[in-house]
Amino acid sequence: MDSSGTGFVRNIDRRLLLRGALGVGVAAAVALPARRLLSPATVTEPLTVGGLAVTCNLTLPIACAANEAAKPFGTRDAAQLAFGFSRYSGWPELKESLMSGDLQAAYMLAPLVMDLADKQVPVKIVSIGHRSGAVIMVHTDSPYRRFRDLAGKRIAIPSRFAVDFLFLRKMLANEGMTPQDVEIVEMAPADMPAALYVKGVDAYCTGEPFGAAAQSAGYARVLRMTRDEWPRYMCCVLTVREELIQANRPLVQNLVNYVLAAGAWLDGQRQNRDKAVEIAAKPRFFNQDPEILRFVMDRPSDRVTYGDLRIIPREFEELMQLAVEAGALSRPVPYANYVDESFARAARPASIAL
């Protein structure tokens, strides 16, 4: 039985467990040493923004590359507003870095940010990173054609804090099923394609490019996509520590401006996605096979979208309620505790000249 008490999540990869998400280290995360705080007068190094090599985070490397290319205010001012990408291998490591203050900004799972905020960790969501982009994959030679065919089968999810899990729960509810009607296991997304290949699992539900990796290799097919079942789906959100907001609002505003502009640019023209693949595949960003990223961008083109990154309170409210029902959150969390809309409202188009 999992620690949430939901009684149906069995742990396969303990690296992916969030181990209650908080607990030890929360107090330290709330009160950071002063030396970690940024101020406009002292910033000389680019702000590091953590993220995973997943296409739900694609707006981040594009924003970083565009901001770096622009340098619009000369060397000193550009340094005050600069930010760069740091690749992480998993959500637990990213969460710990954000909690400790080693990271001041990161793309995070939205329910995880809600939980951190509820535990008094000073973080705020300042932008959405994408829409859609999750898939449920099955083996090509499996008989499963309808979602209901997965009754009694083993399905892998990244973690109970992942919105992929909420997507799976939505699909179960739509079919009049419950989580007890399937066997749910937690597993690192990177391990899911291989697990499906050897039939260690019957299906997996996760974000891209881990569905595309197996599909493009020819041994998996899509059973369901969020583009069809939950088009307004959002998983990864730009999150910053409140100390950064208080110390350097212009830097946070510049970051949000570029993230929103990157989203519009990605969905603006077909050739922009080709350029995005070229940039994101580089070792300094995702360090991935560009053909797999291109598969995600093209098969189909709205497999994951970026053009509508509006912060809509009722969508966060729905997500929060789903997370409570799933046991990912212990209680409802007020919207104002985890979202700061001011940067999105004040956003101005940034130049994406790539």
Side-chain angles (χ1 to χ4, degrees):
M1 179 176 292
D2 70 301
S3 59
S4 72
T6 49
F8 48 83
V9 176
R10 189 165 72 84
N11 178 8
I12 277 187
D13 187 339
R14 301 189 69 81
R15 294 172 303 168
L16 263 286
L17 278 179
L18 298 180
R19 300 182 181 90
L22 294 170
V24 176
V26 168
V30 173
L32 291 178
R35 62 182 174 78
R36 288 180 173 164
L37 304 185
L38 299 173
S39 72
T42 58
V43 171
T44 56
E45 297 295 326
L47 170 71
T48 298
V49 186
L52 270 59
V54 294
T55 50
C56 293
N57 287 193
L58 185 58
T59 45
L60 181 54
I62 301 307
C64 292
N67 187 52
E68 182 180 300
K71 298 188 186 316
F73 308 114
T75 303
R76 179 176 174 77
D77 288 339
Q80 298 290 329
L81 298 175
F83 53 87
F85 178 78
S86 180
R87 186 175 65 249
Y88 278 67
S89 59
W91 296 115
E93 297 86 351
L94 192 58
K95 181 206 70 174
E96 292 297 333
S97 292
L98 190 65
M99 286 176 59
S100 69
D102 288 338
L103 274 178
Q104 294 278 319
Y107 269 41
M108 293 285 290
L109 299 170
L112 191 50
V113 180
M114 297 171 187
D115 191 54
L116 290 172
D118 190 46
K119 301 292 176 49
Q120 306 304 310
V121 177
V123 291
K124 284 287 194 295
I125 294 169
V126 294
S127 177
I128 296 171
H130 70 103
R131 295 285 185 179
S132 195
V135 290
I136 298 174
M137 306 297 298
V138 297
H139 209 285
T140 49
D141 62 8
S142 73
Y144 317 133
R145 299 292 171 182
R146 304 170 304 162
F147 182 82
R148 175 167 284 280
D149 293 336
L150 295 179
K153 305 304 178 185
R154 176 179 289 187
I155 305 174
I157 61 168
S159 88
R160 65 188 177 90
F161 279 93
V163 186
D164 315 282
F165 180 39
L166 305 185
F167 172 40
L168 179 62
R169 288 177 58 94
K170 258 182 174 281
M171 293 301 304
L172 289 167
N174 290 346
E175 294 290 338
M177 300 166 66
T178 73
Q180 285 70 34
D181 290 322
V182 295
E183 181 186 1
I184 299 174
V185 296
E186 293 189 359
M187 182 179 294
D191 296 335
M192 292 179 183
L196 185 70
Y197 181 78
V198 299
K199 302 185 179 178
V201 296
D202 298 294
Y204 62 84
C205 179
T206 192
E208 297 288 8
F210 303 107
Q215 188 180 1
S216 61
Y219 63 85
R221 57 181 166 82
V222 176
L223 186 66
R224 289 291 186 273
M225 289 184 174
T226 47
R227 70 182 281 271
D228 302 314
E229 308 295 339
W230 190 0
R232 302 289 298 172
Y233 172 97
M234 55 179 173
C235 180
C236 299
V237 292
L238 175 60
T239 306
V240 300
R241 288 193 61 103
E242 291 185 41
E243 297 97 327
L244 178 62
I245 292 176
Q246 294 162 10
N248 199 337
R249 288 189 65 90
L251 175 55
V252 178
Q253 186 66 67
N254 191 50
L255 176 58
V256 171
N257 288 350
Y258 271 97
V259 165
L260 296 180
W265 180 82
L266 275 161
D267 281 7
Q269 297 185 53
R270 173 65 186 81
Q271 58 265 36
N272 291 347
R273 290 200 164 203
D274 290 335
K275 186 66 177 179
V277 167
E278 178 186 324
I279 293 169
K282 292 179 179 179
R284 61 181 291 220
F285 291 122
F286 288 1
N287 192 29
Q288 287 178 337
D289 181 350
E291 292 309 312
I292 293 179
L293 292 175
R294 188 166 290 108
F295 193 98
V296 177
M297 295 292 101
D298 293 343
R299 305 281 295 272
S301 61
D302 60 350
R303 193 169 182 131
V304 53
T305 64
Y306 308 94
D308 183 0
L309 301 184
R310 290 175 297 162
I311 293 177
I312 300 177
R314 61 177 166 75
E315 293 181 341
F316 276 100
E317 181 70 19
E318 178 194 14
L319 199 61
M320 186 273 295
Q321 292 293 346
L322 289 172
V324 171
E325 294 168 9
L329 296 175
S330 60
R331 59 181 179 177
V333 184
Y335 172 79
N337 288 10
Y338 59 85
V339 174
D340 183 339
E341 297 179 350
S342 64
F343 298 98
R345 288 199 302 265
R348 297 291 181 270
S351 172
I352 308 294
L354 298 171

